Amino acid sequence: MLMKKILTFIIFILYVWPLMAQSPAKYWVEFTDKKNSVYSVSQPEKFLSPRAIENRARYNIAINEQDLPVNQHYIDMVKALDDSLIVFTKSKWLNGITVYSQKDSMKEKIQNLSCVKFCERTIAMENPEEPFSGRYTYTPAGSPVIPATTPFEELQYGKGEEQIRLNNVHWLHRLGYKGEGMVMMIMDGGFHNVDSIRHFDILRKNNRLLGARNFVQPAQSPFRKESHGTMVLSCIASDIPGELVGSAPNVMVYVAKTEDGRSENVIEEDNWVAGIEWADSLGCGVLNSSLGYTRFDDTLQRRNYRSLNGITSRASRAATIAAGKGMIVCNSAGNEGRGGWRYIGSPADARDILAVGAVDKKGKKANFSSFGPTADGRIKPDACAVGFLTDVASPGGRTVRANGTSFASPLLSGMVACLWQAFPNIDNMEVMDAIRKSGNQASHPDDSLGYGITDFLKAYNLLNESQSVKGQQKLDVTFASYVSQGVPADIKIKADQEIPVTITAQLRGTQKPVSKNVKLKAGEQTISVKLPKLAKSEKYGIVDLKVTGNNIDRTYVMGLEHKAKIKKDKDKK
């Protein structure tokens, strides 16, 4: 028996161990510095697009050393260790690269280089990576056609109407904000048939599908495999009137495949980092990621709840950096609400992003939606949208239903694009703050739905007010609801002192405002304001409500609908 064990051990050492040691793998390599860079912050056009540079200038965000590309000399030092080594991705923000090699002991060899700060294996592959030359690129046939902003246009959402209405984003659409001129990045696991199915015919025809990359298998088209990203994108950009219209049907989009469906490993977070840096270099304003990482196939890579601090995961660190560069990142909270993990994943734990939870079309929490808070106590989710029985596009071109925070997040990200479109000179932090304050649980957030279901008409009014109140007398104005169904508006006003004001409500397209003079008392009071009547022939109306007085000039926007018509429309479904 002993001799048999010894013989088995010798066979393992001679034959099996060398094969294991030579298993193909990918590695994350982080460098010590960016010394002697050929790039300079004084010439950002060498590494950032004109749109990205314009965004930085608009929001007064400095271009710094973090934006400089990785030192090519350092990359060449790593490549010199293995003639067949392949550089898969680069990260200027984290100053590192992902490389692939089939040689043994590569981690140790890389770590011994003087220019290397840290090296780790991010995936041990069962089979060699497919060789490739060149990288897949997609370019539209011509310049994007951006539709003119058209207020009062009524979109025919079809099956998607309830998931749009829950967050009141249809009022932003009615105001003329449907994503025109906004550029989004969608990072996911594959966009099967996005280049052909009918849900995206208008997107492609108008050349608003701006580009596509595959960070997993760079030479392959992201349109040929895996359909999760197809369903995700349809929540935003589907445009089939009467069947399925997304939350921002007129946006321009880039798509990036960063998720590797063959396994679950840390390499995917590094792909994610490369994707978001690409988005930044292109000048994308809003990014959706319906991806999350909690546990990995490699048992050496372990995560626990304490890891959800926004700084453990490289993807989370990159998401926070992206926010500092002016981007709004929306990330699905995760579907672990019923599982042993329970909590959100990474990069949903990142600082200064929007982690999105899921509810059904009645506003009830989807039981799979992951819980907050982060390990360091920050409230999550930041916002909620429909993720249960969400209407989406299948890769076969049918409209189907699907479950997951994966679909709540893109719905919300499209809404964010429409909101930011209305206030292009307000920075990302203020927009996100308004979104959190517009949740139906903003006054009492919890670890289940966080700040709750975002009311985008309320967020619009908060941002509109923030632009107009500077230098005015202090006055806190809140509405019980920004939508009226034929009843007076209840407005809560808090004043520091007694002051007379005039409240005027005017229906757009009419000449007769409704006015009310009120003598405000010091303190808080609720005032009922009669609103103009909506003609029976009109489905809806927009009311401009003004509060004016001595050094006071506030304007708010309310929606007006017929209650009977809403009920009738629902009965038709």
Side-chain angles (χ1 to χ4, degrees), residues 344-355:
I344 61 170
S346 299
D349 67 324
R351 292 171 169 82
D352 301 324
I353 74 161
L354 298 176

Side-chain angles (χ1 to χ4, degrees), residues 3-17:
M3 289 300 296
K4 186 179 288 187
K5 288 184 177 178
I6 293 173
L7 182 61
T8 301
F9 179 73
I10 291 173
I11 292 172
F12 178 83
I13 293 296
L14 291 178
Y15 297 102
V16 179
W17 175 255

Side-chain angles (χ1 to χ4, degrees), residues 460-480:
Y460 175 92
N461 276 285
L462 290 180
L463 293 175
N464 190 48
E465 183 182 50
S466 72
Q467 289 194 308
S468 62
V469 300
K470 295 174 182 178
Q472 293 187 23
Q473 185 166 317
K474 186 176 180 181
L475 203 68
D476 293 331
V477 182
T478 57
F479 288 68

Side-chain angles (χ1 to χ4, degrees), residues 47 111 117 132 241 292 374 418 457 486:
F47 49 88
Q111 187 68 68
K117 178 180 179 181
F132 67 91
T374 61
C418 296
L457 185 55

Side-chain angles (χ1 to χ4, degrees), residues 117-157:
K117 178 180 179 181
F118 172 72
C119 178
E120 71 169 341
R121 187 185 70 185
T122 53
I123 181 173
M125 305 181 70
E126 293 183 4
N127 300 302
E129 189 66 272
E130 295 179 14
F132 67 91
S133 59
R135 297 175 186 265
Y136 175 86
T137 58
Y138 172 92
T139 54
S143 299
V145 178
I146 301 174
T149 301
T150 50
F152 296 101
E153 179 185 14
E154 185 71 352
L155 299 182
Q156 303 301 314
Y157 301 105

Side-chain angles (χ1 to χ4, degrees), residues 51 69 95 109 141 148 236-237 287 339-340 368 400 407 411 466 555 565:
R51 184 186 292 115
N95 197 23
K109 292 177 181 178
I236 302 165
L287 179 144
F368 54 76
V400 298
F407 310 115
L411 273 175
S466 72
T555 300
K565 274 202 171 186

Side-chain angles (χ1 to χ4, degrees), residues 39 63 118-119 144 253 290 388 391 410 423 523:
Y39 297 96
I63 297 170
F118 172 72
C119 178
V253 298
S290 290
F388 181 75
D391 288 281
F423 303 97

